[in-house]
Amino acid sequence: MPQFRAKARAIDLLGKGQISDLPTAISELWKNGYDAYGDNLEAYLYMDSCANVDRPFFVISDDGKGMSRQDILEKWIVLGTDSKTRCELDLKGEETLGKNPRVKMGEKGIGRLSVAYLGSPMLMLTKKIGSPLQALFIDWRILENYNLYIENINIPLLSITELDDFDSVFNNLKKEFVDNFKKDKNKPIYLNRHILESNLAEEWYEQYSLAAQIIEIVEGLKLPSFFTKEMITPLCSTSIDIHGTKFVVFEPDEQLIMLSQSYRKDINSEYEDSVNEIRSSLNGLFNVFKEENIAVATKFIVVTNEGERDLISSREFFSYYDFTNCDHLIDGEFDNTGRFSGKIRVYKNDIKHTFRNSRKPGNTAYGAFNLKVGVIVGNRNESMLNDEQFHAYDNKLVDFGGLYIYRDGFRVLPYGRTDTDFLRFENRRSKHAGFFFFSHRRMFGYIEISRANNKKLVDKAGREGFINNVAYKEFKADLEAFFIDLARKYFGTNAEFDYKSSQKSDIDKASKSAKEEFEKEKALRKEFAKKLKEYPQLLDTAICNYQRLLDMLEKKQQESVLLYEDIDSILNQIEDYKLQIYKLNLDKPVRFSLTENQRKNLHNYQDRYQLFAEKDIPNSQEIVNNARAKMEDFELFKELEAKYNQYRTHISNIFDEATSSLNASLNRLKEKMSEEKSSVFLKEIDEKYASIKPTNVNRSDILLSLTLLNNIYMDLIDKAHKRISPFLQHLDRISLDVDEEALTGYYKIRYQEIEKRWTQTKELAQMGIAIEIIDHQFNALYSQVAYAIIQIKDYLPDDEKTLRHYQSLKSSFEHLEDKYKLMSPLYRTTGKVRKNISGLFVKEYLNSFFNRQFEELSIILQSTTDFNNALFATFESILLPAFVNIIHNAIYWLKSSEDKQIILDFVEGSKILIINSGEPIEDYYLNDIFKLFYSQKPNGRGIGLYIAKETLMGLGYDLFAASNNSEYNRLQGACFIIDTAPENLLKNE
């Protein structure tokens, strides 16, 4: 009786041949890992730039339940298994690793073969609880031989019971696999065709080159030195906690190798596009758009000589928070009949909405599903987001924008890719973008289906979306009709319900005002940056010429006869240059804040300018006075008259220049008004009058036209008043006594500061809440760890390395214990009562708190007698943390100092000095260091000094820093001063 037989290449066609791309292959394997109750789905690409790695290799793994030898023989290498297709939930227990049963993602029984797409040869390592580690080896290229039948291929499978056995097991696996190519397994193969004693099996005669390639690669495989420790050791144990599966691919596909280029700055566009496509496909495998998403972690690590980098960092992808701020939102569900009910948000306006496509009554073929989509408009001026938010969304949309489909929480590929526009949004927009509105590239969100509710939405075998059956056609048609209807009713040009335009008008006005302010600020910034660049050179030139004239004047004085005519020109020139120098005074702008670099440059320039104004100009006056002393009285009077005229001219010029500038501005405004009058208002009344003017002299028509004309007039008058009145009122309020620019700048900067402070306060509050929660749990956890460290010693192996690690753990925990005890006075529940805190107590506390750092860095903490004897009636929980924060900062800046000193002093009956010999604080940073989240330390948080200052101010104290030139800063490093309130200070008798 004839029977079906399968060639080996059938497996190649079912596996690698059915996988369209790399992300699909990886997602299929991770899907199997999820079905096996794995919570950590990982991929590691080791490049040959790593130490001890001769050739790149790839590892994809999961921490699922793994497989025993029986599982491999009866399930893994049996194609088309039906256990998942039945959709039967497991019973919670050992087979689910004690976790709640999961809906199976796989269904066809061939997804495991997608590993062949990743490359060859492959080593599978899998461990099931209660079973030894299993190792299976195959080079998938053996399936490319069209002469081989499946039953003729031997796939070597061996157990690893001892860690030391791995090397010999791996060699035996390779040898057993190579035997597939031999006539006689006891004889070697000579891969040179000219040697007659060839031992190659007959099935390989026609494909000799393929056989030679496979054998050469398999026999030449070398494992890096860390392989056993990192790949085998974690799985080779009888512990009930050890389980999982790893696939090790030794000749990764070129697409995988390409991913190693993903972090190069000089990556070409061909690589960049391919890498971005893979990243976008591997991100969001689980539905992170929902707050209650599946708690499974995925990562794809590329390991090079530069370290490890995660290719699919979840921080770059969308989350359910992104729905909060998007411009528009569609959120609801389709029931079994195809009827949508839910909420539509148009900007800030929420609307209840229902929809059902024109179809015959009854249930749909596709079933019920949920839908949630956020939309960001493409034009920044039409978005309600600020620039920072819009830019953040824009970056995400470029890489990950699209409509995703999730079945039971797992992503269905290729939906969600930017080039998979299965609902034809872009096709419709190309016909009329305004009317159809929606763009696949400007949306994000998901359609949520399930195996239970949507059985007829079936994946293609190639994992390229759904089969184009009746259910999918109805599903697609109803969704397309749904979005067309939404655009027609709410979003498109001439929408039926005007929810959008009224809000859009407000957004347009705000956007226009913001844009105008931005452009004005941009021009002012540009002008200031130009001055900041040019003024130092102009100042140097003016000072140089000023000094040259003074030298000339001094030489003139040495002449025996000094005439007024000889020095008159020099004195006038000196006065002109003095005026030029005064004009070069550069103040901090009032309308915008400066960058840190600009503030630094301005500070340096102002120091240079002020130094000359305070020293050189007064000194130069002495030279001028000496010259005047040699003049006759009438000559001095002539100079007085000349100076009066010169100064009067200078003052007049200032106002003449201002008047000229004012006239130019008024002329521009007049031109603007005249243009608006003609091209907008008069044009509109002319056009509307032409449209309502009667063609016949008919009384009723004329009366109607009169009524319409009156309405047109009233509308235009209202618009004109609204357009002109605010401007005239503003002009009327303008006064020379009020600096409008400074006032506007003040309110703008204050608003920005308040906005920033509010954001920072929320972040700080969240941190505080987190610390509060942690503290409630810390005591119990602390006791458990302390007890466990004591008990564990009796169970440790008695060897030097283990004891060394135990001692390190015990020592570290004891150090943590000391810190915890020292922190107890700082916790708020202990600080409700004021105490008399002596300076000596503070010093001893700081020595205890920082004893290890002081010893390691050879830092000496000293205090004066005045400090030791001072008493402060205040709260420990406020005063001590202030000292801790300041000393903690000092330790960092003392690291590079040769003489490491910290001095505590008390002066003037109210000032605590905390001085160190580290890096000094430059003058322009003296205030900034107390701002929240401002830090000059790498990875610094910028919180400590801010909190110290804020809490001390709550007591009536103040905290500030002294400059390097201050009399208090005797170590020429950093000097902090706590100015205490007099009533909180007690004398130590």
Side-chain angles (χ1 to χ4, degrees):
M1 180 181 292
Q3 294 179 326
F4 277 115
R5 296 181 68 195
K7 288 287 185 78
R9 63 191 297 267
I11 298 178
D12 195 42
L13 294 172
L14 287 171
K16 187 165 64 174
Q18 290 296 317
I19 299 298
S20 60
D21 54 26
L22 180 67
T24 305
I26 292 172
S27 69
E28 284 298 315
L29 293 170
W30 277 347
K31 189 186 291 184
N32 288 342
Y34 172 80
D35 289 345
Y37 294 91
D39 291 332
N40 295 285
L41 311 176
E42 301 175 347
Y44 280 80
L45 174 62
Y46 294 86
M47 294 306 299
D48 50 5
S49 58
C50 299
N52 302 315
V53 177
D54 294 329
R55 304 186 71 173
F57 69 97
F58 180 68
V59 181
I60 184 165
S61 64
D62 65 75
D63 61 349
K65 59 187 178 182
M67 293 179 283
S68 64
R69 182 179 183 87
Q70 184 179 358
D71 291 331
I72 295 173
L73 295 175
E74 295 180 2
K75 296 178 182 178
W76 196 81
I77 62 174
V78 177
L79 303 183
T81 49
D82 63 346
S83 58
K84 296 182 183 180
T85 308
R86 296 172 188 165
C87 299
E88 296 174 355
L89 284 178
D90 299 319
L91 294 176
K92 185 175 180 179
E94 190 175 315
E95 280 297 304
T96 69
L97 301 178
K99 302 169 186 177
N100 291 326
R102 295 177 178 177
V103 177
K104 297 292 187 290
M105 298 296 169
E107 55 181 315
K108 294 182 174 58
I110 59 173
R112 70 206 66 163
L113 298 178
S114 58
V115 70
Y117 189 94
L118 303 177
S120 251
M122 181 210 79
L123 173 68
M124 181 176 75
L125 300 165
T126 184
K127 170 75 170 64
K128 187 174 184 177
I129 296 173
S131 300
L133 173 62
Q134 302 297 317
L136 179 147
F137 183 87
I138 187 172
D139 190 314
W140 297 103
R141 288 169 292 194
I142 196 173
L143 304 175
E144 296 174 15
N145 186 342
Y146 44 77
N147 292 319
L148 280 178
Y149 286 92
I150 291 176
E151 60 266 26
N152 294 336
I153 298 175
N154 174 40
I155 303 174
L157 173 65
L158 297 174
S159 300
I160 302 173
T161 54
E162 298 291 338
L163 190 61
D164 295 338
D165 294 343
F166 173 68
D167 288 337
S168 61
V169 167
F170 185 60
N171 289 328
N172 289 335
L173 287 170
K174 293 193 296 179
K175 179 180 179 302
E176 191 175 336
F177 180 76
V178 171
D179 286 346
N180 280 295
F181 299 88
K182 297 180 180 180
K183 286 181 184 175
D184 187 342
K185 296 180 181 179
N186 297 316
K187 294 182 180 180
I189 290 181
Y190 298 96
L191 296 179
N192 190 324
R193 282 204 166 210
H194 299 290
I195 300 177
L196 298 178
E197 295 83 9
S198 173
N199 188 28
L200 195 66
E202 292 180 9
E203 294 89 349
W204 288 96
Y205 284 169
E206 293 182 32
Q207 293 178 288
Y208 177 86
S209 297
L210 177 61
Q213 180 188 10
I214 295 172
I215 294 168
E216 184 178 4
I217 289 173
V218 169
E219 290 185 339
L221 283 180
K222 293 182 180 179
L223 300 175
S225 57
F226 61 81
F227 190 89
T228 301
K229 183 177 180 181
E230 294 192 15
M231 306 295 165
I232 308 302
T233 303
L235 291 174
C236 193
S237 170
T238 57
S239 169
I240 61 171
D241 295 327
I242 302 300
H243 48 80
T245 301
K246 294 181 187 292
F247 295 95
V248 184
V249 179
F250 294 103
E251 294 278 328
D253 183 86
E254 59 182 8
Q255 292 182 75
L256 283 166
I257 302 301
M258 181 181 64
L259 292 177
S260 66
Q261 309 290 319
S262 60
Y263 298 97
R264 285 177 48 190
K265 292 181 180 179
D266 59 341
I267 181 173
N268 61 48
S269 58
E270 180 186 358
Y271 278 154
E272 187 176 13
D273 291 343
S274 300
V275 168
N276 287 339
E277 181 184 348
I278 294 170
R279 286 177 64 243
S280 68
S281 298
L282 290 178
N283 265 288
L285 280 182
F286 294 94
N287 193 353
V288 294
F289 290 105
K290 297 183 67 176
E291 185 172 2
E292 65 281 7
N293 62 76
I294 300 173
V296 176
T298 60
K299 63 181 178 181
F300 190 122
I301 306 297
V302 178
V303 187
T304 65
N305 59 337
E306 297 178 356
E308 298 183 359
R309 298 183 177 91
D310 193 351
L311 189 70
I312 54 172
S313 173
S314 60
R315 291 175 298 177
E316 299 175 2
F317 196 68
F318 293 101
S319 73
Y320 64 93
Y321 292 113
D322 289 312
F323 290 121
T324 305
N325 295 320
C326 59
D327 288 316
H328 311 303
L329 180 68
I330 302 134
D331 185 10
E333 60 180 343
F334 281 80
D335 63 17
N336 287 319
T337 69
R339 183 177 184 271
F340 173 86
S341 57
K343 177 183 73 173
I344 309 298
R345 192 182 75 217
V346 182
Y347 291 122
K348 296 181 179 180
N349 202 332
D350 288 339
I351 309 132
K352 289 184 178 180
H353 180 72
T354 59
F355 166 82
R356 190 177 189 276
N357 195 15
S358 299
R359 58 163 48 255
K360 63 182 180 181
N363 289 344
T364 63
Y366 52 78
F369 64 89
N370 296 328
L371 174 144
K372 192 170 186 178
V373 180
V375 177
I376 306 295
V377 298
N379 187 339
R380 166 67 191 90
N381 294 331
E382 295 180 4
S383 175
M384 65 179 183
L385 304 174
N386 60 39
D387 287 336
E388 185 179 350
Q389 290 172 323
F390 188 84
H391 181 68
Y393 274 106
D394 223 31
N395 288 340
K396 286 186 178 182
L397 288 168
V398 168
D399 291 334
F400 309 117
L403 184 54
Y404 293 70
I405 297 180
Y406 290 91
R407 180 192 285 115
D408 294 308
F410 198 93
R411 181 175 172 184
V412 180
L413 287 172
Y415 304 110
R417 291 178 180 172
T418 52
D419 59 347
T420 305
D421 183 13
F422 73 104
L423 296 182
R424 302 184 298 174
F425 290 111
E426 302 305 326
N427 177 272
R428 288 191 293 276
R429 277 181 63 84
S430 66
K431 298 174 183 176
H432 195 305
F435 181 81
F436 290 107
F437 180 74
F438 290 103
S439 169
H440 186 251
R441 300 183 183 93
R442 303 301 302 176
M443 63 171 56
F444 63 93
Y446 65 91
I447 294 170
E448 184 182 33
I449 65 174
S450 67
R451 201 175 298 281
N453 293 335
N454 313 98
K455 295 178 181 178
K456 294 184 180 180
L457 291 176
V458 183
D459 294 7
K460 295 178 186 176
R463 305 309 196 258
E464 273 301 288
F466 295 123
I467 293 173
N468 195 19
N469 57 17
V470 172
Y472 177 65
K473 287 178 179 178
E474 286 186 5
F475 175 72
K476 189 168 174 289
D478 285 359
L479 280 170
E480 288 187 13
F482 171 69
F483 281 102
I484 291 171
D485 181 68
L486 285 179
R488 180 178 61 82
K489 285 186 176 177
Y490 307 117
F491 299 104
T493 306
N494 301 320
E496 183 178 334
F497 298 101
D498 196 18
Y499 293 111
K500 186 180 170 187
S501 62
S502 58
Q503 296 181 82
K504 187 174 176 293
S505 175
D506 295 336
I507 292 170
D508 287 343
K509 288 178 183 177
S511 177
K512 185 179 179 182
S513 299
K515 187 175 181 181
E516 289 174 354
E517 175 62 26
F518 173 78
E519 291 299 327
K520 186 172 184 179
E521 182 180 311
K522 184 180 177 182
L524 291 172
R525 281 185 178 278
K526 187 176 180 180
E527 182 184 352
F528 180 80
K530 183 180 179 183
K531 287 181 179 180
L532 195 56
K533 182 179 180 181
E534 294 176 351
Y535 272 27
Q537 185 176 353
L538 292 174
L539 179 65
D540 289 341
T541 302
I543 290 174
C544 182
N545 289 329
Y546 184 80
Q547 191 62 51
R548 177 179 57 79
L549 290 167
L550 288 174
D551 293 342
M552 190 184 301
L553 185 61
E554 277 193 305
K555 287 181 181 179
K556 279 286 182 184
Q557 294 177 46
Q558 295 171 7
E559 296 178 5
S560 56
V561 179
L562 183 64
L563 300 177
Y564 173 73
E565 287 75 13
D566 294 335
I567 64 170
D568 182 45
S569 176
I570 299 175
L571 288 172
N572 284 333
Q573 290 180 68
I574 287 174
E575 208 61 49
D576 285 338
Y577 275 112
K578 190 189 292 185
L579 183 63
Q580 283 186 33
I581 290 169
Y582 281 132
K583 284 184 176 180
L584 291 173
N585 186 21
L586 191 58
D587 293 323
K588 181 181 176 182
V590 295
R591 200 176 182 90
F592 57 88
S593 56
L594 301 178
T595 65
E596 186 169 323
N597 192 47
Q598 285 177 329
R599 288 195 298 116
K600 183 177 180 180
N601 291 338
L602 177 61
H603 179 86
N604 292 336
Y605 176 77
Q606 287 176 331
D607 274 358
R608 170 85 173 93
Y609 179 88
Q610 200 61 32
L611 185 66
F612 177 78
E614 291 177 357
K615 293 185 178 180
D616 291 82
I617 288 180
N619 292 341
S620 64
Q621 191 62 42
E622 185 179 346
I623 299 171
V624 174
N625 290 337
N626 289 337
R628 287 172 177 161
K630 296 184 178 183
M631 293 182 191
E632 298 295 335
D633 292 350
F634 75 94
E635 291 175 334
L636 282 174
F637 185 77
K638 285 168 65 177
E639 185 190 358
L640 175 64
E641 287 283 315
K643 285 290 178 288
Y644 162 70
N645 291 322
Q646 187 181 22
Y647 292 162
R648 194 175 188 282
T649 301
H650 285 162
I651 293 170
S652 179
N653 287 341
I654 291 173
F655 282 89
D656 289 345
E657 289 172 6
T659 302
S660 176
S661 177
L662 179 61
N663 287 332
S665 298
L666 285 173
N667 287 334
R668 284 198 304 272
L669 289 170
K670 287 177 182 178
E671 289 175 9
K672 175 70 175 174
M673 278 194 157
S674 179
E675 180 187 348
E676 201 154 313
K677 177 183 75 173
S678 302
S679 61
V680 178
F681 287 87
L682 294 182
K683 182 182 178 182
E684 185 174 344
I685 194 170
D686 290 344
E687 290 175 349
K688 288 184 176 179
Y689 176 69
S691 67
I692 66 169
K693 183 179 178 181
T695 54
N696 299 314
V697 182
N698 180 289
R699 184 178 183 84
S700 60
D701 290 346
I702 295 171
L703 288 173
L704 176 61
S705 295
L706 279 169
T707 303
L708 293 173
L709 182 61
N710 183 68
N711 292 338
I712 293 168
Y713 163 75
M714 295 303 296
D715 181 55
L716 286 174
I717 282 291
D718 184 55
K719 285 170 65 177
H721 278 303
K722 287 181 179 177
R723 181 71 171 147
I724 297 171
S725 293
F727 169 70
L728 294 176
Q729 290 169 9
H730 177 69
L731 283 179
D732 190 53
R733 287 194 299 266
I734 290 177
S735 169
L736 284 174
D737 297 327
V738 178
D739 186 344
E740 294 282 337
E741 193 76 7
L743 193 61
T744 303
Y746 169 78
Y747 285 122
K748 180 183 173 186
I749 291 171
R750 286 293 296 153
Y751 172 76
Q752 291 172 344
E753 288 176 352
I754 291 169
E755 190 176 39
K756 182 179 179 182
R757 194 177 183 89
W758 171 239
T759 302
Q760 292 171 341
T761 302
K762 287 193 293 185
E763 293 177 17
L764 199 60
Q766 289 172 347
M767 291 172 60
I769 292 168
I771 293 170
E772 182 84 5
I773 293 169
I774 291 170
D775 188 83
H776 281 297
Q777 301 171 358
F778 190 84
N779 284 325
L781 294 172
Y782 168 80
S783 300
Q784 291 174 7
V785 174
Y787 179 76
I789 289 175
I790 295 171
Q791 296 298 315
I792 199 174
K793 186 177 181 181
D794 297 335
Y795 301 94
L796 293 174
D798 188 17
D799 63 82
E800 184 179 346
K801 183 177 180 181
T802 303
L803 291 176
R804 186 171 68 249
H805 286 313
Y806 173 77
Q807 191 57 43
S808 175
L809 173 65
K810 185 170 179 289
S811 175
S812 298
F813 185 75
E814 287 173 350
H815 182 59
L816 179 64
E817 181 182 23
D818 293 338
K819 282 286 184 286
Y820 181 64
K821 289 176 181 177
L822 285 167
M823 288 294 288
S824 60
L826 312 187
Y827 191 58
R828 65 188 180 103
T829 55
T830 66
K832 291 181 179 178
V833 180
R834 288 179 183 265
K835 294 182 179 180
N836 290 339
I837 305 170
S838 70
L840 183 61
F841 170 79
V842 172
K843 178 190 176 183
E844 291 173 347
Y845 176 84
L846 294 173
N847 268 322
S848 299
F849 197 97
F850 293 107
N851 66 316
R852 180 170 293 189
Q853 291 98 315
F854 286 169
E855 288 177 7
E856 290 175 352
L857 297 172
S858 301
I859 294 174
I860 299 173
L861 176 68
Q862 303 176 56
S863 60
T864 64
T865 304
D866 288 337
F867 179 81
N868 291 341
N869 291 338
L871 279 179
F872 311 100
T874 187
F875 303 103
E876 281 186 344
S877 58
I878 293 178
L879 186 64
L880 295 181
F883 276 94
V884 168
N885 278 316
I886 296 168
I887 299 298
H888 179 73
N889 276 322
I891 290 172
Y892 176 84
W893 296 109
L894 281 168
K895 287 179 181 178
S896 58
S897 178
E898 293 183 6
D899 180 26
K900 300 179 177 64
Q901 292 186 64
I902 300 175
I903 296 177
L904 306 176
D905 199 0
F906 187 69
V907 299
E908 300 176 8
S910 65
K911 291 183 175 64
I912 300 170
L913 307 184
I914 308 171
I915 316 166
N916 70 70
S917 57
E919 290 287 324
I921 305 169
E922 297 186 70
D923 289 353
Y924 42 85
Y925 289 134
L926 290 175
N927 293 322
D928 290 344
I929 58 176
F930 296 103
K931 292 179 180 177
L932 184 58
F933 302 128
Y934 180 90
S935 178
Q936 291 181 290
K937 294 190 294 185
N939 302 319
R941 295 183 301 166
I943 294 174
L945 290 176
Y946 167 80
I947 294 177
K949 185 177 179 71
E950 290 292 312
T951 52
L952 286 172
M953 287 178 69
L955 296 176
Y957 291 6
D958 193 12
L959 171 63
F960 55 93
S963 70
N964 196 29
N965 298 322
S966 170
E967 58 180 310
Y968 301 124
N969 195 357
R970 55 180 179 268
L971 293 181
Q972 300 301 302
C975 176
F976 289 89
I977 300 171
I978 300 176
D979 195 355
T980 62
E983 61 269 20
N984 292 325
L985 183 66
L986 298 177
K987 293 285 186 179
N988 187 353
E989 300 297 335

